[in-house]
Amino acid sequence: MLALMIDRARVDHVARLARLELTDEESERMVRELSSILEHIERITNLDLADVPPTSHVVDLTNVLRPDEPRPCLPREAALAQAPDATEDGFRVPSPSA
Amino acid sequence: MTPLDLSAAAAAERVRAGDLDAGELWELYRGRAAADDLGAFVWVAEERPGNPTDGPLGGVPVAVKDLFCTAGVPSQAGSKILEGYRPPYTATAVERLTGAGAPLLAKTNQDEFAMGSSNENSAFGPVRNPWDRERVPGGSSGGSAAAVAAGLAPWAIGTDTGGSIRQPASLCGIVGLKPTYGAISRYGMIAFASSLDQAGPLTRDVADAALLLSAMVGKDPCDSTSLGLPEPVTEPTATDLRGVRLGVPEEVFETEGVESGVLAAFEATVELARQLGATVERCHLPHAPHALSAYYLIAPAEASSNLARYDGVRYGLRVNGDADLLTMYLRTRGAGFGPEVKRRIMLGTYALSSGYYDAYYGTAQKVRTLISDDFRAAWERFDFVVTPTSPTVAFPLGAKTADPLAMYLNDYFTVPMSLAGIPAISIPNGLSERLPTGFQLAGPAFSENRLLDAAHALERAIGFDGSAARA
Amino acid sequence: MTDYEPVIGLEIHVQLSTRTKMFCGCELSFGDPPNTHTCPVCLGLPGTLPVLNARAIDFGILLGLALECEIAPRSLFHRKNYFYPDLPKGYQISQYDVPLCRGGRLGEVRIHRVHLEEDAAKLVHLGESGRIHGSAHSIVDFNRGGTPLVEIVSEPDVRSPEQAREWLQLLRTTVRQLGISDVNMEEGSLRCDANVSIRPVGRSELGVKTELKNMNSFRFIERGITAEIARQTALLDAGEPVVQETLHFDPQSGSLTPLRSKEEAHDYRYFPEPDLVPLVVTEEMLAEARAQLPELPAARAERYARELGLADDRARLLAFRSELGSYFEAALAHDGEDPQTLANWVVGELVSRIGDADPAQSRVAPEALAGLVGLLRAGRVTQGGARQVLDRLVADGGDPAAIVDAEDLGAVGGGDELGAIVDRALEAQPEEVEQLRQGNMRAIGPIVGFVMRETKGRADGKEVTRIVRERLGLS
Ligand SMILES: [Mg+2]
Ligand SMILES: [Zn+2]
C-alpha cells in the first residue's frame, strides 16, 4: 500500500518540493493525516482500469485560439503596485544564485 | 410586505416597473450588510456604485465570493497570503453582473482558496449559520450562502469545485446552482482546481438563480474552456413534473453517514415528485462511491500547481525577503497558507510527484472517465438524477476540524457531478431537527433550463419558508 | 590510448516573432524599459487564464513541416512545475508527452521532437560586482516572460563540434527563411544547449552525457563542445568516470563549471494544463502551412545539384548560406551558360574577398560577376586577369568589360601576337626547348612563365601550350 510509504522523510521531501515550511508538529501531523486520507483514497488503485482512457478535460473543445493582435498592457506602476518589494522598474527578489 | 421579503427577481421587476427605488433597495441591503454579525462578509461597499440599474438585474445589489477578482477591491480568496490584495482587473462573471445592472454590494467570506466544507478555513474567521449561530454554514461559499439566507444580500455568487455552492446552500436553506462546466467564464476567479471550478448563483429561490445565471453565462475569449450554452437561460415556470423521469441512485441508500432526518426529507420529496407526475426509478451509478477518492487526488493536484504562484514576488505576503531565495519561498508559503491548504498542497504535490503520478493522478483521471460514463448511461433512461445534497444538516462549529476525512465526506453527493462537469442544483428541502436539508437534481450537460424548470416545480410543491433565518 | 568518438545532441530554443506573447495580448519587445510589456495574464496574477496565440501554432506547424516532422493530429499542453522568480505562475506551460511535432530531419541530423512553450522572464542581477555570484538581490523584468518559443530537440547524430556549428547555422538559415524568428543569438532569440558524451570508436552504446548551457554564439558552441570533449577524454584516459551533470561554459576563460546542484532532483510534476484545450491540427491548417513553405536550404542544395549539375559541397555552401544562394541565382539570371564556373566564382573568389558579408551588400553587382565569368569564357580575359578585375569590382564596383578596357587587362589574343611572344620565349630558353624535344613536358613551365611575364598575365596558358607544341612539332 502506497499510503504506508508516507513517512516523515517523504513528507519533508514533498514539503520542500512544494516550498512549504512546516513546523515539526505540522510535519508529524501531516504524516498521520496524509496516511489516513490516502488509505481511504487508495481503494481506487485496485480498480481494473487497463482499458479506460483518462479524462483531463470535461469540455469537448479543441483549438481555442486567439488572433495575434496586441492588447493594451498595464502601466508599470499598476504592474508593480501590489509587489511586496519593488524598485522603480521591477520586482526585487533574493538573488537565486547568491 | 417590505422589500426584504421580496425575492431578488421580484425586486428587480418592481425597480424596472418604477414601483421600487433602486437607491432605497441599495441602502436597505448596504445597512444590513454593514451590520453583519455572522462573519459573512470580508468587505462591504461604502458607496453605491454608479453602474446602470436599467438592465435585467434591475439594480438589485449582489454579493460576490471573495475569490472573484474585483478591480481595486480586496480579493483575498479567504487567505492570509493575499491579505489586502487589490487586483487591477475584474472577473468576467462580475463584469457581466454589474453590466446587467447588479451593483457590487460586498465580498463574502469563504474557506481559504475554496478548500473546505464548513467555512472554518478562512483566514478572516468563520461564518455562522443564520439558522443556528453555533453551527457552520457549509463551504466553501459559506459567506455567500449565509448572507443570502439571512437577508444580508438579495442574492450572491459563489464557486463550486466539489460542492462548494450546493452544500452551503443546502445547509443554509437556499438555492445553489452549479452550472455545466464552462458555462460561466473562470477568468478572474482565483483558481482552486481548474478542471472543476465553476461559478454559480446562491439565491433565495429558483427563479432568482435562473435570472442571475442568465446574466453570467456565455463564451469568454479570456477563458479557453468557456462555452456558450446552446440556448438562452429562460425563466422557470413549470408547476408539475409530468413526463419527467427521475433516477434515484441505489448508492444513496448504501452509504453510511446519511442522517435519518435528511434521508426522510429526501424520500418525502421523491414521493412529492411522483405526485407531480414524475416517474421515479432506482438507478445505478456504480463508480460514484469512488468519486470522492478521485476528487481528492485531482483537485489537490491541480491546486498544488495553481497555488505555486503565491511566492511573495509580485503580490501578497512576503516573509524573510532579505534571506536567500529558498528561505523566502519556504517561510512565505509556510506562513501564508492555513492548515487545510497546506494539507491539500502536500496531497497534490505527492500525487503528481515522480513515481506516484500513474498510481494516483493517472488513476483518478480514469475513474473520472468512468463516472462520466455512468451518468451518460443514466441519461438514456432518466432526465435527472436526484440525491440529498449533503448527508447531514449543518454541524456545530469545530465538530469536524480535527478529522479531515470526516469533513471530506460532506461532499459525497456533490462531487460526482463536479467530476462529470454536469449541472446540478440544490433546493431547500424542509427542516430536520430545525435545520435545513437540501434536495439535489443533476442533469446532462447544458440541461440548465430543464433542470431549473423541474427545480421550480418541486420548490413550489415543497413550499419551504426561509423567512425565519432573516429575522 | 583509446580513440573516442563524440556523440552530440542539440536542444535549441527559438523565440518566435509573433506580434504578441504566447498566451496574452502583450506586444513582444526588445530593449524597452523593464516591466512595460505586462498584463494580468503574463504576470501570473490570481484568476488569470492563458489563451493560445494562433500565429504561434501556425509557426510551429511551418517549422515542423520544414524539418520533415510528423505533425501530431492532436497535441496537448502540460504544466512543468518548478519555483523560480522568472516563472510567474510557478509552472511553465509547455508540451510533454504529446508534442506538436515528432521525428524529422534536417540535413544529416535527425530531429527527435519540436514543441511549443512559453519563455521565462528576465532576471537582472544586482550587486557591486555585477556578476551573477555574490549579488544579494535580483530584479525581475517580465517583458520577455511569455514570449512564444519552439524547442527543437535533435537526435544524438552530431559527431564533431564543427558539425554542431555548421548544423546550427543550417537550422538558423532554415528558420530565418521560414520567417518565423529573427534567430539572433546575440539577442537571445536562438539559444542552444548541447548534450555531449564520448565513446570508444566502434562501440555502439552511449557514454555518460553532460549538458552544456550558455553557449550563446556559434563560435562558443564549437569551443564549448571542443572543451567538453577534451575534458571527458582526459577523465576516461585517467580511468575516471564522467559524471552526469549540467555545465556552464564561460566563453572568456573557456572553462566549464558545474551548475550548483539543486537541493532535490528535478521533479517537474507534469500534468495536462486544465486551462487549455487540446490542439487539433486540421488538414486545412496543414495545407495552408504547406502552401507557405518556401524553398528550404536542403531542397535548394538538392536542386542545385540536380538541375545545375553543381558538386554537392558547392551546392550546399550556396544553399546553406541563403544569401550566397540568392546572389548566385541573381547572377545566374544574367548568364546561365556555365553555372559550375559561376558557382566557383561566388563561393571561391568572391567569398575569399568579402568573407561573411552578404554579397548583395557588396559593390559587386550580380550582373557584374556574371559578366566577368562571360568574359572569361569568351577568352577576352584570362583567369588571372579576371581575378584582377574582381579586385577592382570589390573595391569600386563598376562594369567588368569597362574595367578590362580601362586597365588593359584583356587577354592577349591568339594568332600572331601571342605566336610572336611564344617564339621569343623559345629563343630565349634553348635548354628547355631541348628537354621538351626529348619528351620532358615539365620543361614547358618556364616557357609559359616567360610568356606570362611578357603579357603581364593576360595570356591564356592553354593557348600558349598549344602554340609551343605546334612550333616544336610535338604531338
Ligand atoms: Mg524548454
Ligand atoms: Zn501579458
Side-chain angles (χ1 to χ4, degrees), chain C residues 21 24 26 38-39 42:
Chain C
K21 292 184 179 181
C24 67
C26 289
T38 72
C39 72
C42 59

Side-chain angles (χ1 to χ4, degrees), chain C residues 161 194 196 212-213 215 217-231 247 249-251 254-256:
Chain C
V196 179
L212 262 63
K213 298 231 178 230
M215 297 180 295
S217 83
F218 290 104
R219 216 153 36 93
F220 295 162
I221 280 158
E222 196 172 339
R223 279 173 48 196
I225 296 174
T226 303
E228 177 55 10
I229 291 169
R231 192 187 68 90
L247 300 161
F249 177 66
D250 180 356
S255 69
L256 294 153

Side-chain angles (χ1 to χ4, degrees), chain B residues 138-218:
Chain B
S140 64
S141 309
S144 290
V148 173
L152 308 181
W155 48 12
I157 60 170
T159 58
D160 188 314
T161 304
S164 278
I165 287 174
R166 291 162 286 161
Q167 186 257 11
S170 170
L171 268 49
C172 289
I174 61 167
V175 171
L177 170 68
K178 181 198 92 71
T180 304
Y181 180 83
I184 298 173
S185 169
R186 291 185 293 116
Y187 189 71
M189 262 166 60
I190 298 177
F192 163 16
S194 310
S195 77
L196 297 156
D197 292 344
Q198 189 52 207
L202 293 105
T203 55
R204 265 191 222 175
D205 66 22
V206 174
D208 281 3
L211 182 58
L212 207 51
L213 177 69
S214 70
M216 289 189 287
V217 293

Side-chain angles (χ1 to χ4, degrees), chain C residues 152-209:
Chain C
I152 303 158
V153 183
S154 87
E155 295 287 356
D157 288 350
V158 177
R159 291 291 173 270
S160 73
E162 304 76 47
Q163 191 196 1
R165 179 181 45 73
E166 279 166 20
W167 187 77
L168 210 59
Q169 274 164 338
L170 168 61
L171 179 68
R172 183 179 62 164
T173 302
T174 305
V175 171
R176 190 170 280 165
Q177 258 175 285
L178 291 172
I180 63 172
S181 172
D182 304 334
V183 277
N184 186 327
M185 288 197 95
E186 284 67 44
E187 284 178 10
S189 55
L190 173 72
R191 308 197 287 266
C192 179
D193 301 337
N195 290 307
V196 179
S197 67
I198 61 173
R199 63 184 172 195
V201 171
R203 219 53 103 60
S204 62
E205 66 263 43
L206 296 168
V208 176
K209 68 176 178 191

Side-chain angles (χ1 to χ4, degrees), chain B residues 230-248:
Chain B
E231 52 190 24
V233 177
T234 53
E235 187 189 342
T237 53
T239 54
D240 65 57
L241 294 173
R242 267 173 297 181
V244 174
R245 300 161 303 164
L246 298 183
V248 180

